[in-house]
Amino acid sequence: METLQPASITIEEFNVISDIFSQAITGELIGMSNFASLVETIDDPHEKMEAVEHANSERSHAEGFMAYAKKKNLKININLHSPYWGNVRKQFLSYAIKKDFIACLIIQEVILESFAVSMYTDVANALGGEAGRLFHNIADEEKEHLEHSSDILRAELNKDPKAFIKKFEEIHFNCMTILAEFTATTDLRGHCGVCNGDCMKGALHHIGLDVTVMRGNALALYASALDNIGIPGEKSIIWIARLPA
Amino acid sequence: MDCQAPSLDFAIIGHQENWQHITALINDIRTPRLEKLPVEKIKSIFSFIPPRDVFKINAKSKTGAEANGVYIETFIDPDMLDAQYIRTNISKVMNAVAFAKKLGAKVVTMGGFTSILLEGNFDSFSPGPSKFTTGNTLTAAFIVKGVEKAITQYGINLQESNILIVGATGDIGMACTNYFKGKTKKMLLCARNKNRLQKFALELIKDNILVNYSIVLDELIPEADIIICVASSTNIQMANCKKNVLICDAGYPKNLETTIDNPAAVHLFHGGMGQVLNGYSINPDYSKSMYHYEAPYISHGCALEAIVLALENKFETYSTGRGNITNDKMEEIYDLSLKHGITVAPFYNTKGLW
Ligand SMILES: NC(=O)C1=CN([C@@H]2O[C@H](COP(=O)(O)OP(=O)(O)OC[C@H]3O[C@@H](n4cnc5c(N)ncnc54)[C@H](OP(=O)(O)O)[C@@H]3O)[C@@H](O)[C@H]2O)C=CC1
Ligand SMILES: [Fe+2]
Ligand SMILES: [Fe+2]
């Protein structure tokens, strides 16, 4: 079997790549679960089918990452109840229960996808090769999810800007706070519950990455997504500035 | 939309002077309810943020007219203004320009270093209803009118004085030189690029203007009675000034007081600044952290140019390129400015008002 064991890469590189795949698989499974939960709460048959399709798309992403991890014998740890991912899921469920399709879209397709697209792209560029291509391809698909949701949310904003912005603001602080803590240089909520050993944040430099740059890029993409939806700059700057750092 | 200005007459594209100001602003935005972020944490995020409007501005004219605009922050790192970062910075400025267009601002001024990065050239902008200006004409007008006011205050005779222009071949420097030439004993001109400086100086000499020029500032300073500093460098050093020399620090950032060898022996004011007599307000109100002047309603000439144009309903590319500012244009924008109650700011420096 082809493995990514120390002969070709250092043990530090192996560990951090394993952790990155663990995070990515966990994230995709959370996405899959989110859309699966949404299915039950939607009455409209078309939206229901679309949610199933979305869930399936995230499943295939998880599978893609898993297949590569298996092939390279990576040390994978999946934990859907970890402090950060579990809390994101809890937030999502709280809106899914209320059948709040728009809120679910904001969480999964704007907040989580902004981070996924940006971080997958950074990882893809750092890893290169087969792993790089895998991350690039999945990032491209996530980008489509992000763009698709922006169209829906822009229309939603135009219906009632004040109410929409108020709702988005609440979701931003409930969910983006978790991601901001997750990606802070120092652990603001303790161990992430996914990485093997110490959290990978301090070890990213082994593969030429830096959590500060990754978080900065992700926030930048999120900010642009907010612009694209039509959230005024004077609001988005407040939302970003008030996140934990 | 409720969060946008009702109609966007103008936009001011700008950047922050230093990390101290940025830290104060971000912590102001965070409100005292949240813990204060130290500068290191702010540095790790700030420059990643794409340009966006941060607050609305409403300016009032003495005629009763009002203009509504926004301030668009470029999120340029104040420690990265050097030439080596030019590509990153230009890309930020171009994103800010796109943002201003998207907001539908009728006239947009390129504040601080943002116009210098593009050399005042807006040709590459895709056509659209938004008009762009460097704001340099009103800045130059406030500088020269400010200097005239100050020399009256100090009883300095202009005809018997030598004026030194640091940054003489720049857009504002040329405008100031052309304004004062023939009115002084001698013009002293300084810039780093010798060819450009020589070419400009020779044109003046042809017009029988007495000129001394040098790329070495130290050679000119001892002769100067009045100094206007409009260089686009942040590290201008001044030594051996005449006693009681009048200095107008109009560069960006205005930091000559920290580099001059004997600040107590000179009369230094921050130039190119104006004051809106009928006031302006910003919303959300970040003035607590963003406003750093001892008198009310002060702002940079470049920002005020957009406001004057907006108050006049004169939505045009007023200042563009380098070397296009004429005395007539300076007088015109200055008169319009006065019409709306926007005057040369009271004299001040880091120690406060004169
Ligand atoms: N209200 C205000 O306070 C405003 C202030 N400004 C500031 O005014 C300044 C000039 O703007 P602008 O005319 O548009 O800029 P330009 O780029 O057109 O001109 C800059 C001039 O400074 C010269 N220069 C740069 N570094 C030095 C140096 N170390 N020693 C001597 N000369 C130097 C340049 O020539 P060379 O390269 O050959 O040295 C050039 O002549 C800037 O600092 C700008 O930020 C602008 C708008 C409003
Ligand atoms: Fe996915
Ligand atoms: Fe997705």
Side-chain angles (χ1 to χ4, degrees):
Chain A
M1 186 176 9
E2 192 188 348
T3 62
L4 258 185
Q5 287 290 0
S8 53
I9 57 168
T10 65
I11 185 73
E12 287 83 7
E13 285 167 346
F14 175 83
N15 285 339
V16 72
I17 292 171
S18 293
D19 288 344
I20 285 175
F21 272 82
S22 297
Q23 295 287 0
I25 294 166
T26 304
E28 293 297 345
L29 291 174
I30 290 284
M32 180 193 76
S33 312
N34 283 350
F35 276 109
S37 313
L38 197 58
V39 176
E40 284 179 37
T41 69
I42 298 173
D43 296 325
D44 180 83
H46 293 286
E47 282 179 8
K48 220 178 187 37
M49 288 189 286
E50 205 173 317
V52 172
E53 200 180 293
H54 262 122
N56 189 45
S57 155
E58 308 302 2
R59 181 197 58 78
S60 72
H61 295 163
E63 240 170 27
F65 286 136
M66 282 166 161
Y68 179 88
K70 193 169 172 208
K71 190 164 102 182
K72 304 288 180 183
N73 238 355
L74 296 179
K75 211 164 129 204
I76 296 301
N77 179 31
I78 299 168
N79 181 0
L80 301 184
H81 303 286
S82 62
Y84 300 104
W85 287 116
N87 265 319
V88 171
R89 171 97 177 112
K90 245 187 241 159
Q91 282 298 332
F92 184 93
L93 282 175
S94 72
Y95 292 99
I97 283 163
K98 291 185 271 181
K99 295 197 176 191
D100 192 338
F101 177 67
I102 292 298
C104 291
L105 214 57
I106 291 173
I107 297 175
Q108 181 60 37
E109 301 288 69
V110 182
I111 294 181
L112 290 175
E113 297 295 36
S114 296
F115 268 62
V117 171
S118 177
M119 294 194 163
Y120 286 1
T121 306
D122 287 344
V123 168
N125 292 335
L127 293 182
E130 188 189 342
R133 278 192 298 280
L134 180 63
F135 272 100
H136 263 311
N137 290 341
I138 295 178
D140 283 347
E141 286 185 29
E142 305 293 23
K143 211 189 273 169
E144 278 171 32
H145 294 170
L146 182 61
E147 281 159 10
H148 166 248
S149 68
S150 294
D151 295 339
I152 300 173
L153 295 175
R154 204 176 307 121
E156 198 63 21
L157 175 136
N158 288 331
K159 280 189 220 159
D160 185 351
K162 211 171 170 177
F164 179 83
I165 290 167
K166 188 165 170 261
K167 176 194 187 112
F168 205 134
E169 180 169 298
E170 176 197 296
I171 298 165
H172 163 88
F173 284 113
N174 286 343
C175 295
M176 198 44 109
T177 301
I178 303 170
L179 291 191
E181 287 173 339
F182 188 15
T183 53
T185 35
T186 45
D187 266 317
L188 297 174
R189 273 197 198 206
H191 192 274
C192 71
V194 173
C195 295
N196 297 293
D198 284 344
C199 210
M200 65 169 176
K201 281 187 277 192
L204 286 169
H205 61 93
H206 291 298
I207 55 163
L209 286 172
D210 174 347
V211 70
T212 306
V213 175
M214 287 180 79
R215 181 186 47 179
N217 289 340
L219 279 175
L221 188 65
Y222 175 61
S224 298
L226 296 180
D227 297 343
N228 207 10
I229 292 164
I231 305 291
E234 67 172 58
K235 283 283 173 202
S236 54
I237 185 61
I238 293 175
W239 296 359
I240 293 169
R242 290 186 188 167
L243 288 172
Chain B
M1 204 193 317
D2 72 318
C3 297
Q4 295 298 347
S7 103
L8 207 54
D9 303 317
F10 67 90
I12 298 165
I13 292 177
H15 59 94
Q16 301 301 306
E17 208 164 291
N18 55 50
W19 281 109
Q20 229 177 318
H21 287 180
I22 293 170
T23 306
L25 171 64
I26 296 296
N27 281 315
D28 191 8
I29 296 176
R30 284 173 69 79
T31 76
R33 279 184 300 114
L34 298 170
E35 93 276 12
K36 266 197 163 60
L37 289 185
V39 65
E40 290 71 32
K41 292 218 167 180
I42 292 171
K43 277 187 184 183
S44 77
I45 294 173
F46 185 81
S47 316
F48 285 97
I49 303 173
R52 61 206 48 251
D53 51 317
V54 173
F55 53 81
K56 295 189 275 278
I57 306 165
N58 170 272
K60 290 185 172 47
S61 161
K62 143 177 136 177
T63 66
E66 289 187 23
N68 290 301
V70 291
Y71 170 72
I72 297 175
E73 172 63 45
T74 50
F75 296 94
I76 287 176
D77 182 329
D79 296 338
M80 288 170 59
L81 289 176
D82 298 354
Q84 66 188 115
Y85 307 110
I86 193 157
R87 283 179 57 158
T88 312
N89 290 339
I90 286 181
S91 132
K92 288 190 178 204
V93 172
M94 293 309 284
N95 286 337
V97 164
F99 209 93
K101 285 181 168 182
K102 202 181 85 179
L103 293 177
K106 293 180 195 155
V107 62
V108 185
T109 196
M110 312 289 291
F113 255 78
T114 65
S115 66
I116 295 176
L117 284 163
L118 305 177
E119 301 192 341
N121 187 336
F122 310 137
D123 295 348
S124 62
F125 296 6
S126 59
S130 298
K131 302 295 176 209
F132 289 81
T133 186
T134 61
N136 282 350
T137 312
L138 188 56
T139 300
F142 282 155
I143 291 171
V144 299
K145 300 296 177 186
V147 167
E148 283 179 341
K149 206 170 141 192
I151 58 180
T152 314
Q153 194 165 321
Y154 280 105
I156 299 169
N157 184 336
L158 189 57
Q159 279 174 331
E160 288 166 14
S161 304
N162 299 328
I163 288 200
L164 166 60
I165 315 273
V166 187
T169 53
D171 195 35
I172 301 172
M174 279 193 270
C176 295
T177 308
N178 287 326
Y179 184 88
F180 282 116
K181 72 180 181 193
K183 296 178 184 157
T184 61
K185 193 161 106 194
K186 203 193 296 179
M187 298 301 295
L188 309 169
L189 309 181
C190 178
R192 293 163 307 177
N193 182 309
K194 196 171 177 181
N195 285 343
R196 262 204 307 254
L197 181 63
Q198 189 162 4
K199 192 166 161 257
F200 183 50
L202 290 177
E203 280 170 27
L204 298 177
I205 291 166
K206 239 193 270 167
D207 286 345
N208 292 320
I209 308 292
L210 202 53
V211 177
N212 254 11
Y213 63 92
S214 174
I215 56 168
V216 183
L217 183 58
D218 289 344
E219 291 178 3
L220 301 170
I221 289 180
E223 265 197 284
D225 303 297
I226 300 164
I227 301 175
I228 295 174
C229 189
V230 277
S232 54
S233 292
T234 53
N235 56 347
I236 306 291
Q237 305 286 332
M238 290 216 177
N240 301 318
C241 292
K242 271 191 188 176
K243 196 163 184 289
N244 292 330
V245 62
L246 175 72
I247 301 179
C248 169
D249 183 357
Y252 197 94
K254 302 189 193 312
N255 60 355
L256 278 184
E257 285 154 283
T258 60
T259 60
I260 208 160
D261 68 339
N262 190 4
V266 305
H267 304 300
L268 185 147
F269 72 97
H270 292 186
M273 309 299 294
Q275 187 174 38
V276 185
L277 297 181
N278 288 66
Y280 64 80
S281 58
I282 68 173
N283 180 20
D285 186 3
Y286 300 129
S287 51
K288 197 163 44 79
S289 59
M290 288 202 85
Y291 196 80
H292 307 286
Y293 311 111
E294 296 287 336
Y297 309 131
I298 288 181
S299 186
H300 288 85
C302 52
L304 293 172
E305 183 168 303
I307 292 177
V308 171
L309 293 173
L311 288 170
E312 268 300 300
N313 280 316
K314 204 172 160 66
F315 301 112
E316 58 183 67
T317 300
Y318 199 82
S319 315
T320 176
R322 259 196 192 136
N324 300 324
I325 301 174
T326 61
N327 288 350
D328 285 349
K329 276 260 191 181
M330 277 200 274
E331 295 294 353
E332 180 188 58
I333 193 84
Y334 183 63
D335 285 346
L336 291 177
S337 175
L338 293 181
K339 172 181 155 190
H340 293 288
I342 301 178
T343 62
V344 171
F347 297 124
Y348 68 91
N349 55 37
T350 45
K351 297 217 175 59
L353 292 169
W354 271 13

